[in-house]
Amino acid sequence: METDCTHHDSAAPEAETGETAPESAPMPLPPGTRLLHIGPHKTGTTSIQSALFAAKDAMAGHGVDFPAHSRHPMEAALAVCARPGMMGDAKPTERHWQRLVDAVHATGRRTSVVSSEFFADAPDDEAIARIVDDLGRGQGRDQGRVHVLVTLRPLAKIMPSQWQQYVQNGLRMGYEDWLEHMLRKAPYEKPNPSFWRRHRHDRLVERWVRVVGAENVTVVVVDDRDRDGLMRTFESLLGLPDGLLVPVPDTANRSLTLAETEMLRKLNMEFRGNGLPEEVYSRMVRGGAVMHMKNACRPAPDDARITTPRWALEAAADIGAEMAGRIAAMGVRVLGDPALLSVVPSVASAEESASPRIDPEVAAHALYGALAVAAATPAYPPASVRSVHQTSSKELVRVLGHRVLKRLKRA
């Protein structure tokens, strides 16, 4: 199954050093605009969503509404884009989308902002047109007020973070093998067809321009050297005071280290090999082991990093240069430096990392997280009459998985 998720890449910049040149703030969008931030993934989406949600009351005092009922209206975006959601989770429904649409319409003629990286997964022009029409539908001057915002980062920064995120949702393929498939094996769709749907950024921008027009699209190239730059850009576009949006610490959304990712990848192989139900993975692995490990463990400075081989960095830079050129020719407003999309990180960042070794404390926290989920559910049903010693290990694992699933459903 293809894997997807939504959290912020915390990797530090790899290539550039020094101070960024000051840029003049972009002009605010017209009052009453419905700003739709579509990501894509790994471009600072979680950080900006958290900041917007935390400041929603303060923004309202300046005429800007954040109509979503949570930090990230993921279910609404998944529903309208006909996406299945996370492995083992319930499929989002039309009800999720309609709730968001109603909340946006309730803002009336006030400026509002909606952000979800899953809007970048809209499958075709018809789906994009529906999103824009539903959010922008209104009477007279209220009609057609949607402005699309796309945030971009270099592929060299996105690839390792996106791979470990796919692993958090069941992927079993190692990083270098995954890079081979994404960059060298046409049509570059296996094992994750969503990757290039999201991260062929020129085609992503082009799809939305076809529906809303170039004048209604802004592209922001995120500069990792300027940690608060994206916050300031949103403030300027929304007409908010400088400094209103501030980062919100969230350990649950940190990226996994190489050792943590490899431990989880090996677990994914065992999980798939024994045919356990996907609902068990959602609750006990992703919601239990991984979540507790993220919250309880802070990566050490000397932890092995997910490093990208030189050939892949160069390939990503070539693609980035091509994407930047095509976007520039579309007539959309571009904020930031498009040249960042084609920078090849320094040789030092491409060196082979140390062998990943999981810290016993990290492994213990992961195991505890799974056990905590199990302990929070009702007791297992009575054991089978057949002796455990008469049952194969593979069958035992399968039976255990089904029993856990039954407990979760009863809970």
Side-chain angles (χ1 to χ4, degrees):
M1 176 178 176
E2 183 192 341
T3 60
D4 295 291
C5 195
T6 63
H7 80 234
H8 177 58
D9 177 16
S10 59
E14 297 176 313
E16 304 84 29
T17 58
E19 299 297 327
T20 57
E23 292 185 6
S24 58
M27 291 293 294
L29 295 167
T33 296
R34 290 170 178 170
L35 182 62
L36 177 63
H37 177 214
I38 67 169
H41 294 65
K42 306 304 174 188
T43 59
T45 51
T46 295
S47 63
I48 196 64
Q49 288 157 5
S50 297
L52 289 167
F53 188 66
K56 62 183 301 184
D57 292 338
M59 291 194 306
H62 295 278
V64 179
D65 291 328
F66 186 83
H69 295 85
S70 62
R71 173 189 66 78
H72 177 201
M74 180 175 67
E75 291 85 359
L78 288 170
V80 75
C81 293
R83 297 284 294 157
M86 302 289 288
M87 186 176 91
D89 289 354
K91 184 177 180 180
T93 66
E94 180 69 15
R95 177 179 58 84
H96 293 101
W97 173 241
Q98 193 57 52
R99 184 187 188 198
L100 177 62
V101 170
D102 291 344
V104 170
H105 289 174
T107 66
R109 294 183 177 178
R110 290 166 58 86
T111 298
S112 59
V113 54
V114 173
S115 173
S116 174
E117 53 268 46
F118 284 100
F119 286 122
D121 289 347
D124 50 36
D125 290 6
E126 183 179 357
I128 294 173
R130 187 202 169 181
I131 294 168
V132 174
D133 289 345
D134 283 359
L135 294 179
R137 188 172 58 244
Q139 300 294 326
R141 289 181 299 165
D142 289 341
Q143 199 164 9
R145 296 184 298 158
V146 173
H147 189 92
V148 177
L149 179 64
V150 187
T151 46
L152 303 182
R153 294 177 75 228
L155 286 174
K157 307 286 183 70
I158 289 173
M159 293 188 302
S161 185
Q162 185 74 87
W163 170 74
Q164 63 85 34
Q165 194 63 61
Y166 283 136
V167 172
Q168 289 186 54
N169 202 36
L171 181 67
R172 292 165 287 171
M173 185 177 289
Y175 185 44
E176 293 207 25
D177 195 13
W178 182 81
L179 289 171
E180 287 277 349
H181 280 74
M182 291 295 100
L183 294 169
R184 286 178 167 174
K185 295 187 177 181
Y188 319 109
E189 293 179 349
K190 294 181 179 180
N192 303 112
S194 68
F195 181 79
W196 288 118
R197 184 74 185 173
R198 299 166 177 171
H199 298 303
R200 185 70 206 205
H201 300 145
D202 51 344
R203 295 172 187 165
L204 172 65
V205 174
E206 185 178 45
R207 288 195 297 272
W208 287 80
V209 165
R210 280 201 303 265
V211 175
V212 303
E215 69 279 8
N216 291 313
V217 175
T218 295
V219 173
V220 178
V221 180
V222 178
D223 188 342
D224 288 345
R225 297 169 298 179
D226 184 0
R227 292 295 185 180
D228 296 330
L230 187 57
M231 306 282 179
R232 305 291 81 81
T233 297
F234 266 79
E235 288 168 350
S236 297
L237 291 174
L238 294 170
L240 297 171
D242 186 52
L244 184 68
L245 300 179
V246 296
V248 179
D250 187 357
T251 56
N253 282 297
R254 72 166 176 85
S255 293
L256 297 181
T257 66
L258 177 59
E260 291 169 340
T261 308
E262 282 298 306
M263 179 184 71
L264 182 57
R265 189 173 70 85
K266 297 295 184 183
L267 176 59
N268 291 346
M269 296 170 71
E270 291 294 324
F271 187 92
R272 288 292 195 183
N274 287 286
L276 293 178
E278 291 183 350
E279 291 88 342
V280 173
Y281 189 93
S282 173
R283 290 292 299 274
M284 298 194 71
V285 178
R286 187 171 58 245
V290 174
M291 188 59 65
H292 189 76
M293 181 173 64
K294 285 183 177 182
N295 283 323
C297 305
R298 177 175 294 183
D302 59 347
D303 281 346
R305 297 183 303 163
I306 301 171
T307 55
T308 305
R310 185 73 184 184
W311 69 264
L313 294 175
E314 293 174 349
D318 289 343
I319 296 171
E322 182 182 350
M323 293 191 300
R326 293 195 70 234
I327 291 172
M330 293 179 196
V332 301
R333 175 164 61 168
V334 178
L335 305 177
D337 184 4
L340 293 175
L341 301 178
S342 57
V343 171
V344 179
S346 63
V347 175
S349 68
E351 290 176 355
E352 185 176 354
S353 65
S355 176
R357 301 182 69 86
I358 193 74
D359 188 295
E361 183 178 358
V362 174
H365 281 297
L367 179 58
Y368 173 80
L371 292 175
V373 171
T377 55
Y380 282 111
S384 172
V385 175
R386 182 164 48 149
S387 168
V388 169
H389 298 290
Q390 297 173 317
T391 309
S392 69
S393 59
K394 186 172 183 178
E395 186 176 355
L396 278 174
V397 173
R398 184 177 293 111
V399 171
L400 175 62
H402 284 295
R403 289 183 177 180
V404 170
L405 177 58
K406 288 180 181 179
R407 291 172 57 196
L408 295 177
K409 288 182 176 178
R410 286 201 300 271

